[in-house]
Amino acid sequence: MADEKMDFSAFMAENVIQAEPVEFAVSKRFHDKNGEAVKWKIRPFSADENDRLIKSFTKKVRLPSGERVNQFDKERYMVASVVKAVIYPNLNDADLQDSYGVMSAEELVKRMLLPGEFDDLANAVAQALGFETSVADDVETAKN
């Protein structure tokens, strides 16, 4: 088998099926003229883009002992990843931001959504990015 040439064609960029945007009804509070929940569109982004996002919310801090450690701001990362992934509605639209009295996409998504709705959207983004199960699901599986 060592002499056989492995076929890597399935891994070539031109042969990979691209991740498509997914739609998710965040809340029944956003509805069309027929009363149907309007679905938000989520664009998956690459691990490379995610790494850059993580780095932007990681900083070195000095502990009282003098040791320097990395500190990651998970909450700000989560909001930023949602903003990066949501392509509809356009969270950067000035008119939409004005309607909620905010000046950034991060403020907008937090003002638009109830806490549970935001968590549901963040979970939908995580799934679109390939994180299939939550830690709670993993714990429940381990219990059984």
Side-chain angles (χ1 to χ4, degrees):
M1 205 184 270
D3 293 339
E4 290 181 33
K5 177 135 172 102
M6 301 291 265
D7 180 10
F8 292 108
S9 63
F11 298 100
M12 298 298 182
E14 63 273 9
N15 296 330
V16 175
I17 297 170
Q18 296 303 308
E20 295 291 325
V22 295
E23 294 184 345
F24 178 71
V26 174
S27 172
K28 293 178 183 174
R29 296 183 312 118
F30 306 102
H31 54 85
D32 63 18
K33 61 186 173 198
N34 298 321
E36 297 293 322
V38 176
K39 293 183 179 178
W40 294 38
K41 290 184 183 168
I42 300 168
R43 175 192 70 89
F45 53 86
S46 71
D48 204 27
E49 292 173 283
N50 192 55
D51 285 347
R52 286 193 294 276
L53 200 56
I54 289 170
K55 285 179 185 172
S56 71
F57 292 104
T58 303
K59 63 181 181 177
K60 289 268 190 198
V61 295
R62 186 178 303 274
L63 299 177
S65 66
E67 180 184 2
R68 293 177 60 84
V69 297
N70 287 330
Q71 184 178 53
F72 177 60
D73 190 336
K74 181 180 176 185
E75 288 77 26
R76 286 184 57 217
Y77 161 79
M78 188 178 312
V79 173
S81 66
V82 165
V83 166
K84 184 172 189 59
V86 170
I87 56 174
Y88 181 81
N90 179 358
L91 299 173
N92 291 301
D93 182 81
D95 290 335
L96 186 57
Q97 290 178 6
D98 287 347
S99 77
Y100 282 89
V102 299
M103 297 182 66
S104 73
E106 291 79 9
E107 290 176 296
L108 177 61
V109 74
K110 289 170 38 179
R111 180 78 49 91
M112 288 176 80
L113 300 176
L114 299 172
E117 293 169 344
F118 180 83
D119 284 350
D120 289 345
L121 178 57
N123 286 333
V125 167
Q127 286 184 354
L129 296 178
F131 299 105
E132 296 297 327
T133 61
S134 71
V135 173
D137 292 338
D138 292 341
V139 169
E140 191 61 35
T141 300
K143 286 181 182 177
N144 294 332

